[in-house]
Amino acid sequence: MLQNELLFSIIVPIYGVEYYLPKCVDSLLCQSYTNIEIILVDDGSEDKCAEMCDQYANIDKRIIVVHKSNGGLVSARQAGVAVSKGEFVVCVDGDDWVDNDYIETFAAAAKTYNPDVIVCGSKYSWDEKEIIKPCNLSAGYYNRTKMETDIFPALIHTRNGKNGFQGQLWAKAFRREIYQKQQLVDVVVNMGEDRACTIPTVFNSQSIYVCESNGYHYRQIGTSMTKTKKPLREDGPEIIHRHLCNALDMNQYGLMEQMYRATCHSLFNVCKTQFYGKEGYWKTCRRIKNILETPIYKESIRKARFKGSITLNLMLFSLRHQIIFLMYLYSKI
């Protein structure tokens, strides 16, 4: 058992997950490492989540509850980190859960190596099975020099879309003073918002430690804040493109080329999800063509290059030649 030295702030954004919330919070209360604060952010949930959060706060003094009007995942996390006091910030989605030694693993790495970011693997969890998703990086300590050679060339997007840095906020611990400075300004973006925070945080860090463990359970459902099937904001990729270009030195490590690829990939996802809306097919097609005329999108489509992936090259072909029917077909998969 480690001495409880560092304080870890666990931020849990919550909306519409009353059925899954107990397993999430109970897994945090059962952590073997006890020097934690659990910040439950009720993002205007219309079910019983708000009441459940208050009940948990009455049970354990380490729980802090923030009630706010609905503003989306980014604003919920921002509200959580605003009241946090820990040396490290850990993000857990309200319908997911973690192993009992999840924070202890992070604390051990923090005590031994003193990194700015700690990363672990995860398990994708369905009702009937789990699939282990280890971190793409080899376990161990990365100083700034090793980060520049092993991480930054694949920080945003690789040429084949594989084995890049995993940009989700969960399954990581961040030094709070660095993480808090990298929040996305536009709080209503509903795709890629994790990477918009994670990537600048990593870029502005001096060291990372990668754990061998896979202690985060990512639940596969369709009702949470991060997993709902609905049209994505058409300006989302543009907002994140601008945000990352302002936050990073894009002239290093091939980051600009990576950015073009990431923007095209996100743009294709935005286009195909427009068919999840209630508009008719032809009206949706016209709107997608208007979206593709956005200057940043046109530049990214023109300059992006993929290699070693038929899927990504087909995606890029459909964007360049505005083959909307192909996007429609992908929306049905």
Side-chain angles (χ1 to χ4, degrees), residues 56-68:
Y56 272 114
N58 291 330
I59 294 173
D60 195 306
K61 65 181 181 180
R62 296 175 298 172
I63 291 182
I64 301 167
V65 178
V66 177
H67 295 291
K68 60 183 290 295

Side-chain angles (χ1 to χ4, degrees), residues 110-331:
K111 182 179 180 181
T112 303
Y113 299 98
N114 194 34
D116 291 331
V117 180
I118 308 168
V119 182
C120 73
S122 61
K123 299 182 182 76
Y124 280 37
S125 300
W126 290 262
D127 289 338
E128 68 283 357
K129 66 176 181 178
E130 280 194 328
I131 297 177
I132 295 176
K133 295 283 188 177
C135 183
N136 288 337
L137 298 168
S138 298
Y141 177 76
Y142 294 72
N143 61 18
R144 181 71 184 190
T145 300
K146 191 170 175 59
M147 290 169 64
E148 291 174 353
T149 58
D150 293 7
I151 297 177
F152 291 171
L155 182 60
I156 303 176
H157 202 293
T158 60
R159 295 196 73 177
N160 64 2
K162 300 178 180 178
N163 300 320
F165 184 80
Q166 294 160 317
Q168 64 271 10
L169 281 168
W170 42 265
K172 295 176 181 66
F174 304 94
R175 197 171 295 279
R176 180 170 60 90
E177 62 187 20
I178 301 175
Y179 169 86
Q180 195 163 11
K181 295 176 182 178
Q182 305 303 328
Q183 299 295 300
L184 184 63
V185 175
D186 195 312
V187 299
V188 293
V189 172
N190 57 359
M191 182 189 68
E193 65 275 9
D194 278 19
R195 297 177 64 81
C197 180
T198 302
I199 289 172
T201 301
V202 170
F203 187 80
N204 286 283
S205 297
Q206 295 302 309
S207 57
I208 290 179
Y209 185 80
V210 179
C211 306
E212 292 183 347
S213 63
N214 305 290
Y216 190 96
H217 298 259
Y218 182 61
R219 189 188 298 273
Q220 299 298 297
I221 59 173
T223 57
S224 73
M225 293 178 71
T226 58
K227 307 178 186 76
T228 303
K229 195 171 185 179
K230 58 185 179 182
L232 297 168
R233 275 188 57 164
E234 60 189 56
D235 60 348
E238 179 183 11
I239 291 169
I240 292 175
H241 185 112
R242 293 184 186 279
H243 174 75
L244 291 180
C245 285
N246 289 331
L248 311 179
D249 182 354
M250 305 303 285
N251 295 317
Q252 300 186 74
Y253 319 114
L255 292 176
M256 196 68 245
E257 291 79 6
Q258 295 183 50
M259 191 71 254
Y260 290 138
R261 293 194 288 269
T263 298
C264 286
H265 201 162
S266 298
L267 175 60
F268 183 83
N269 288 330
V270 165
C271 290
K272 76 175 185 180
T273 64
Q274 301 311 303
F275 291 104
Y276 298 157
K278 297 180 180 180
E279 293 180 335
Y281 174 81
W282 293 111
K283 187 173 182 180
T284 301
C285 289
R286 289 192 294 271
R287 189 155 53 79
I288 289 174
K289 288 188 175 183
N290 288 333
I291 293 172
L292 296 178
E293 292 302 312
T294 304
I296 282 180
Y297 297 161
K298 292 178 70 174
E299 179 184 10
S300 298
I301 292 169
R302 185 174 69 254
K303 295 184 177 180
R305 298 292 184 274
F306 294 98
K307 184 178 181 180
S309 172
I310 295 175
T311 300
L312 291 177
N313 276 302
L314 188 61
M315 172 201 77
L316 184 59
F317 182 82
S318 71
L319 290 172
R320 282 181 175 165
H321 299 280
Q322 298 191 4
I323 305 176
I324 311 301
F325 183 67
L326 184 58
M327 302 172 191
Y328 170 77
L329 292 178
Y330 267 90
S331 75

Side-chain angles (χ1 to χ4, degrees), residues 69-83:
S69 59
N70 180 249
L73 186 60
V74 175
S75 70
R77 286 173 173 156
Q78 288 180 355
V81 75
V83 301

